[in-house]
Amino acid sequence: LMIRRWSNTEQVAAVFHFGEAMKTVSIPLPKGRWEMIFDSAAERWLGPGRRGAGRQSADGHVRLSLTPWSFVLYVARMEQVD
């Protein structure tokens, strides 16, 4: 499940994985640089540890590796989006 929201200054994308096994997915994101600002799988939140890249360069799609029962939140500020 992916939810994307945007304003005049930034965009956010939240990607949720409700499966019981690791999953690699391709999700549609506008061209630009996207930075992960939250990963529920991080050890800080008692998860198994971060799996995804902290920054992604999108060309219309990005590939993400998602930990079971987790979600990640990415942000792109308008000066970063082409």
Side-chain angles (χ1 to χ4, degrees), residues 10-25:
E10 66 185 6
Q11 299 185 60
V12 295
V15 182
F16 299 83
H17 176 42
F18 300 109
E20 295 182 12
M22 284 287 297
K23 182 79 172 178
T24 299
V25 296

Side-chain angles (χ1 to χ4, degrees), residues 14-61:
V15 182
F16 299 83
H17 176 42
F18 300 109
E20 295 182 12
M22 284 287 297
K23 182 79 172 178
T24 299
V25 296
S26 177
I27 61 165
L29 285 180
K31 185 176 179 182
R33 291 183 314 224
W34 291 80
E35 181 177 352
M36 182 190 299
I37 59 172
F38 186 84
D39 182 350
S40 69
E43 291 175 354
R44 173 181 186 174
W45 308 113
L46 303 179
R50 203 177 230 187
R51 297 277 190 245
R55 295 184 187 195
Q56 294 273 350
S57 290
D59 61 359
H61 285 85

Side-chain angles (χ1 to χ4, degrees), residues 57-74:
S57 290
D59 61 359
H61 285 85
V62 295
R63 291 183 60 79
L64 299 177
S65 293
L66 301 169
T67 305
W69 301 103
S70 67
F71 79 96
V72 292
L73 184 63
Y74 280 87

